[in-house]
Amino acid sequence: MSDLTRMTATKLAGLIKGGDVSAVEVATAHLDRIEAVDPQVHAFLHVDREGALAAAAEVDAGDKSSPLAGVPIAVKDVMATKGVPTTAASKILEGWRPPYDATIVERLRAAGTVMLGKTNMDEFAMGSSTEYSAYGPTNNPWDLGRIPGGSGGGSAASLAAYEAPLAIGTDTGGSIRQPGAVTGTVGAKPTYGGTSRYGLIAFSSSLDTPGPCARNVADAALLHSVIAGHDPRDSTSIAQPVPDVVAAAKRGSEGDLTGVKLGLVKEFAGDGSEPGVLAAFRESLDALVKLGAEVVEVSCPHFQYALPAYYLIAPSECSSNLARFDGVRYGLRTGDDGNRSLEEVMSLTREAGFGPEVKRRIILGTYALSSGYYDAYYGQAQKVRTLITRDFESAFEQVDVLVSPTTPFVAFPFGSRTSDPYQMYLADLFTIPTNLYGGPAISVPCGLSEGLPVGFQVMAPTMADDRMYRVAAALESAVGTFTPPAL
Ligand code: GLN
């Protein structure tokens, strides 16, 4: 059998179902690969060899009917996993083993996927480079001296390093798509409410969206179909059928986009994208036109305010969500010597347990929500959010999807954007508008710039997740997939 770690999830599932290979063999190949390369990549915060082999043995002994039975998967460490350490890459949760599974994890287990372990990320999913993990950064398999994107850098890097064929990410402002773009992998943010947030450690509850990461569009669609759908335990979960994303990806891969209108956002031009990124994007656009698509320029005048609005809304919600880390209920407790007050212990615990970016956001959010400033900052940002939603709605009256580069730049060297938070925030210039609107968006690799991957973003109307998979699969059929130089 050729190298199992190089295969797609779809292929692995077929081989396991057909009895050509056992789920235990597939899990072992990936666990061995992790052991061999993860000391260099550091995609994982925790590898669950025992749990993975037990889950695989269960698949071998039992039901293989689910479409992903026996396929290994890596899960971002922001998802609660019963009995398996879950830290959100923060010191404040070191040693916490959740007593329950997130809904998504529950669905993954029910589908017979084999969880290999938990992946590295920016602390509490705040960042764009995984440099803000309290446990050290993940290295991009394309160039170990560069960032793998963030916050879900570990999930994306685990795919690019062939440690896992599938991974779970979460996207609040771009954390699935941007790591996908800079590692040459596929990352999809479903419609907000299309995937359950139950058991996801909350960052910004009105934006947080779990979603699939894979090495190709068909695999991402398959994973999407397994995790998506209504969850009564999540009050913002959408009680509607999940669009048939698997069929849409299949249709797209046939390479016919006749009649499909792609909207090019006028306001995204002249945004300081690297020339190599723009060149790869333009070439991909030409490839889509050759498949029959039509390109139409549309105006979204409020997109320019998306970044400032996001950096008020997300920190505001995080300042409230992170109040639960108080040294009493979970993880770390500092300074509890019997003489200190509850407030003192709480404050010492939070001082020791949170990293600088998390503290920055809690302070910013607390300020923006404080009485006297609430209307001027949070209230104003919510109004901008409505205007951005209207921009999307009017654009989708003219076109089927919007397209853009996923990120303005390719993977950057470590340390090059940490000194100025704004430089880091710019990584999400093109991904954030979608989060404020709530629609689905996908990043698909479209070419290389100076030897590093470039991502192409397709944004669709809410609950039209199938549409973005169709266009992404068509693009993939034209430009192929991208593999990093061997590790
Ligand atoms: N990079 C953005 C931020 O720092 C988005 C993070 C995310 O999507 N989780 O907030």
Side-chain angles (χ1 to χ4, degrees):
M1 181 73 53
S2 57
D3 190 349
L4 295 168
T5 63
R6 302 270 149 171
M7 292 178 188
T8 65
T10 309
K11 170 100 183 164
L12 286 171
L15 291 175
I16 294 166
K17 223 177 279 318
D20 300 306
V21 64
S22 71
V24 167
E25 283 173 88
V26 172
T28 306
H30 286 88
L31 290 164
D32 290 350
R33 172 77 184 163
I34 293 170
E35 215 169 279
V37 301
D38 214 50
Q40 296 171 67
V41 179
H42 192 224
F44 286 87
L45 289 178
H46 179 80
V47 178
D48 186 16
R49 181 173 266 269
E50 220 174 282
L53 291 174
E58 212 172 290
V59 170
D60 285 335
D63 178 21
K64 301 186 188 69
S65 60
S66 124
L68 287 176
V71 177
I73 188 159
V75 176
K76 190 175 178 182
D77 203 31
V78 71
M79 284 280 166
T81 44
K82 190 174 179 178
V84 178
T86 300
T87 65
S90 181
K91 288 282 178 206
I92 213 159
L93 275 176
E94 196 161 21
W96 185 55
R97 289 176 188 256
Y100 69 106
D101 275 330
T103 294
I104 290 207
V105 173
E106 217 171 57
R107 289 185 185 176
L108 289 173
R109 292 197 204 276
T113 65
V114 171
M115 190 178 77
L116 298 169
K118 308 293 294 289
T119 55
N120 199 11
M121 53 185 283
D122 288 291
E123 186 178 0
F124 286 108
M126 299 173 197
S128 304
S129 67
T130 315
E131 287 169 292
Y132 296 136
S133 165
Y135 302 99
T138 295
N139 304 316
N140 191 324
W142 287 79
D143 176 344
L144 296 173
R146 289 173 189 266
I147 60 103
S151 63
S155 283
S158 74
L159 302 171
Y162 297 99
E163 295 170 294
L166 295 174
I168 292 293
T170 58
D171 196 309
T172 302
S175 285
I176 290 178
R177 291 163 285 159
Q178 185 257 0
V182 301
T183 58
T185 58
V186 176
K189 174 214 170 297
T191 295
Y192 174 81
T195 42
S196 169
R197 288 184 296 110
Y198 179 79
L200 158 65
I201 297 172
F203 162 14
S204 181
S205 306
S206 76
L207 301 164
D208 295 342
T209 314
C213 314
R215 282 194 296 263
N216 66 46
V217 177
D219 282 3
L222 202 53
L223 179 54
H224 187 128
S225 72
V226 165
I227 59 172
H230 182 238
D231 177 10
R233 291 183 294 189
D234 170 357
S235 63
T236 56
S237 171
I238 298 174
Q240 274 179 43
V242 182
D244 193 344
V245 293
V246 174
K250 188 159 188 304
R251 181 171 177 212
S253 70
E254 286 153 16
D256 181 9
L257 288 182
T258 309
V260 174
K261 285 192 183 157
L262 312 176
L264 204 53
V265 180
K266 202 167 86 191
E267 288 75 13
F268 274 166
D271 42 44
S273 288
E274 285 173 0
V277 168
L278 279 181
F281 174 70
R282 293 266 163 206
E283 269 172 41
S284 306
L285 216 47
D286 290 345
L288 292 174
V289 169
K290 284 208 188 88
L291 300 180
E294 188 189 333
V295 178
V296 180
E297 192 174 87
V298 294
S299 176
C300 296
H302 303 95
F303 278 20
Q304 60 178 310
Y305 307 116
L307 207 60
Y310 173 88
Y311 277 100
L312 285 168
I313 293 168
S316 294
E317 293 185 13
C318 108
S319 71
S320 162
N321 274 324
L322 270 56
R324 62 170 62 88
F325 301 103
D326 53 9
V328 177
R329 283 174 281 196
Y330 325 80
L332 190 74
R333 179 180 306 177
T334 307
D336 185 11
D337 59 4
N339 299 315
R340 289 198 173 94
S341 70
L342 177 64
E343 279 76 17
E344 280 173 309
V345 172
M346 228 180 251
S347 144
L348 286 169
T349 300
R350 288 166 70 84
E351 162 63 30
F354 289 137
E357 181 64 21
V358 173
K359 284 179 185 154
R360 177 158 38 233
R361 298 204 190 191
I362 292 174
I363 291 168
L364 190 66
T366 306
Y367 181 76
L369 290 179
S370 58
S371 96
Y373 293 108
Y374 185 96
D375 287 339
Y377 294 119
Y378 187 72
Q380 196 72 4
Q382 290 291 22
K383 287 181 190 159
V384 171
R385 187 172 186 175
T386 301
L387 295 174
I388 288 167
T389 298
R390 286 190 193 145
D391 279 358
F392 271 105
E393 284 166 355
S394 87
F396 289 134
E397 280 169 15
Q398 305 159 60
V399 296
D400 297 298
V401 293
L402 297 178
V403 294
S404 75
T406 308
T407 59
F409 30 78
V410 294
F412 47 87
F414 286 112
S416 59
R417 286 178 187 267
T418 35
S419 58
D420 177 359
Y422 187 67
Q423 288 304 314
M424 189 68 84
Y425 299 168
L426 283 177
D428 301 307
L429 198 59
F430 302 141
T431 51
I432 277 177
T434 293
N435 295 81
L436 294 173
Y437 158 56
I442 190 167
S443 176
V444 57
C446 73
L448 299 178
S449 167
E450 293 171 26
L452 294 167
V454 176
F456 187 100
Q457 180 177 225
V458 184
M459 297 164 266
T462 48
M463 288 312 276
D465 304 47
D466 46 346
R467 232 185 258 182
M468 76 183 182
Y469 276 101
R470 181 180 169 202
V471 176
L475 179 60
E476 186 182 77
S477 77
V479 302
T481 51
F482 297 83
T483 34
L487 262 179

